[in-house]
Amino acid sequence: MDVCVVGLGRVGLPLAVRIALGGHRVTGADTAPGVVDGVNRGVPPFPREEGLDEALKRVVTEGLLRATTDTTAAVARAEAVVLAVPLVTAADGSPDFALLDAATDAVAAGLRRGTLVSYETTLPVGTTRERWAPRLAAGSGLAAGADFALVFSPERVSAGRVLADLRRHPKLVGGLDRASTRGGAEFYREVLDFDPRPDLPRPNGVWELASLEAAEFSKLAETTYRDVNIALANQFARYADEVGVDFAEVAAACNSQPHSHLHRPGIAVGGPCLPVYPRLYLWNDPGATVVRAAREANLAVPGYAVGVLAGAVPGGIAGQGVLVLGAAYRGGVKETAHSGVFPLVEAVRSAGARPYVSDPLYEAEELAALGLPPYGGEPVVAAVLQADHPEYRDLTPADLPGVRVLLDGRRCTDPERWAGAEERRMVLGGA
C-alpha cells in the first residue's frame, strides 16, 4: 500500500515509521525543509522517542519511507492519506485552523478518486464534516463519500512512547458515512498491530464508531476527563496541605476499589494536549461549568505552589534566587508547549524573587531563546521541581548547594535522600 502521512511531528513521524515497518511504502510530507532533510537521513527531528531512532534508520535504508515538502505530489501517489498537522489555539482557546487549512488544500490538490483521507489531529466536534469535507471536495472536484472516503481517527499516544502506544490503545475510527468508516477501519487494520488487552471489554484493535462526530467527541472527552480529574486531585492536595494529611496515601486508599480513579496532583498541567483540548471542548460546549472550573483550578496551581514555597523558606523568597528544575512540560520530553515552567517563572517574579531555570535537555542558549533565565550557578535559597526528568530522581541536598527548601512538584525525588538533612523536601498535598 502507498500511504502519505502529512505532518512529521511527534505524532506523524512515528506513525509513518510504524506503517513503513509493516512493509508499506510511506511518503511523509512536511513544510519544514530541515525536518524533511533529517528524516531522509534517518535522523528524527526530536530526541528521546523510544525506539524511533533505530526504526527510522531501518525504514529509510530499506526504501520504505521518504520525506518531501511537496504534499500534493505525495498525495497524488497515495491510496491513503493521514493528516497529523497540529491545530493551534488562540489565547482565548478558540481554534486557529490556518495550518490545517493549508494542509487540507495541499491534500485536495493531489486527491484522486478512491483515496482514503483520515484526520488524526484533535478537533472540535463537527469540524471534519463541516469544514474538511467541503474543503476537500472544493479543492479536488471530487465528492466526499462518493469519490473519496473521509474518516476521523484520533491519535491516542504520548510523546516518548508513541510506537508502544500505537500498539497498546484501540484505534478509534468514525467516518463520513458507513462506507468511509469501513474503509478507514480496513486501512488501520492493515497498517497497525495491537497488543492483547484482557482488561478491555472487547478485543484490542480498530474500533468503529458510528460517526465522525462520535470519534471527534471521544478524543475531547478522554482528554478533558484527565484535566478535570487532575484538577480534583489538585483541589484535594490543597486541602490535604491544610489538614496535614498525605494525599498520596488517601488516593491509594480510594483507588483500591474499582469506582475510584483519582489522578495524581501536580504543579502544572502542560503539553500540547491536556491544557488545550478541554478548551476546544468548551468552544463546542461553552456552558460546561465543570470543565471550565477545572481548567481554572489547574492554571492556579503554579501560583499556589510558589506561595507554599515562600512560606516554607525562612525569611521568605523575596529578593532571593529560586531555581526551577525542568523547562519541559513532562519528564524525558524535549518540548515546552504550555509547560508549567512559564507560569512558575512568572509566579516567582511576582513573589519578588529572581527565577532561574535549568533542564538537562536544554542548553542555556535554548532556555534564553524561550525567554527563560538560565541557571549559571547563581545563589539560590529554594528550588521547585517542575518536570519529572529521570535525572532528578536521585537528587540530594548536596546537588543543590544553598537551597534550603526543595518543593518537588511531581513527587519524583526520593524522600529517603533528604531524611535527616537540614534542608527540607516538600510535596504538594504531603503531610
Side-chain angles (χ1 to χ4, degrees):
M1 181 179 294
D2 286 295
V3 180
C4 174
V5 176
V6 183
L8 296 177
R10 291 186 175 276
V11 172
L13 180 57
L15 176 63
V17 169
R18 175 64 260 172
I19 295 171
L21 287 171
H24 304 283
R25 297 173 297 276
V26 183
T27 303
D30 200 284
T31 57
V35 169
V36 168
D37 178 66
V39 170
N40 283 331
R41 290 185 290 109
V43 179
F46 40 82
R48 295 201 184 188
E49 183 61 53
E50 186 175 356
L52 183 61
D53 291 50
E54 180 181 347
L56 176 61
K57 287 183 175 65
R58 174 183 161 187
V59 294
V60 168
T61 300
E62 293 177 358
L64 293 170
L65 173 64
R66 69 179 189 88
T68 180
T69 56
D70 192 340
T71 299
T72 298
V75 170
R77 296 188 293 270
E79 301 164 65
V81 179
V82 179
L83 287 95
V85 175
L87 174 62
V88 179
T89 55
D92 64 357
S94 60
D96 178 353
F97 292 108
L99 291 177
L100 270 167
D101 280 346
T104 297
D105 291 344
V107 169
L111 196 58
R112 299 178 303 160
R113 185 173 279 101
T115 303
L116 167 75
V117 179
S118 176
Y119 284 83
E120 292 212 3
T121 301
T122 303
L123 301 167
V125 176
T127 304
T128 309
R129 187 182 303 275
E130 296 167 10
R131 191 180 191 93
W132 306 140
R135 197 173 188 107
L136 288 167
S140 66
L142 303 174
D147 294 327
F148 64 91
L150 179 61
V151 301
F152 180 79
S153 181
E155 54 85 7
R156 309 179 76 200
V157 296
S158 295
R161 56 173 189 264
V162 175
L163 291 174
D165 282 349
L166 285 170
R167 299 180 59 92
R168 176 168 174 76
H169 304 306
K171 196 76 175 84
L172 310 180
V173 179
L176 181 71
D177 49 30
R178 182 62 190 142
S180 289
T181 302
R182 285 198 302 268
E186 290 171 3
F187 164 70
Y188 282 110
R189 289 188 181 108
E190 175 71 18
V191 301
L192 296 178
D193 298 310
F194 298 90
D195 296 329
R197 288 279 305 277
D199 60 308
L200 296 175
R202 55 179 174 169
N204 195 9
V206 178
W207 290 10
E208 298 181 22
L209 276 68
S211 64
L212 290 167
E213 291 76 14
E216 290 167 333
F217 191 4
S218 69
K219 176 62 176 182
L220 292 181
E222 69 184 18
T223 48
T224 300
Y225 162 79
R226 290 179 60 198
D227 194 51
V228 171
N229 197 317
I230 293 168
L232 181 61
N234 282 330
Q235 294 267 292
F236 284 158
R238 291 178 74 150
Y239 180 66
D241 285 339
E242 288 183 26
V243 297
V245 169
D246 186 353
F247 177 66
E249 180 183 34
V250 172
C254 294
N255 291 346
S256 65
Q257 58 92 6
H259 305 297
S260 180
H261 306 281
L262 286 171
H263 287 15
R264 292 174 56 190
I267 200 161
V269 178
C273 300
L274 283 192
V276 175
Y277 300 157
R279 297 194 304 176
L280 289 182
Y281 177 79
L282 286 166
W283 193 69
N284 279 130
D285 183 11
T289 55
V290 172
V291 175
R292 192 176 304 280
R295 194 82 289 277
E296 292 171 355
N298 284 333
L299 288 172
V301 177
Y304 168 75
V306 171
V308 169
L309 184 69
V313 175
I317 61 174
Q320 304 290 337
V322 174
L323 174 60
V324 179
L325 297 168
Y329 79 87
R330 178 163 65 81
V333 176
K334 190 176 182 180
E335 174 63 69
T336 58
H338 301 279
S339 172
V341 71
F342 300 108
L344 269 172
V345 164
E346 289 309 308
V348 170
R349 285 198 179 108
S350 296
R354 297 184 304 276
Y356 302 100
V357 179
S358 69
D359 189 300
L361 300 182
Y362 288 84
E363 300 294 334
E365 295 78 9
E366 294 176 296
L367 294 174
L370 291 166
L372 301 171
Y375 179 60
E378 295 83 354
V380 291
V381 298
V384 185
L385 194 151
Q386 192 281 137
D388 52 344
H389 289 308
E391 291 87 345
Y392 295 152
R393 290 174 188 161
D394 296 328
L395 273 178
T396 69
D399 298 315
L400 300 170
V403 166
R404 303 290 300 277
V405 179
L406 167 68
L407 176 59
D408 182 350
R410 302 294 182 182
R411 287 183 180 250
C412 83
T413 57
D414 182 358
E416 293 299 320
R417 292 177 175 268
W418 293 73
E422 179 181 346
E423 297 82 0
R424 184 179 176 191
R425 172 191 177 272
M426 301 176 64
V427 295
L428 297 176

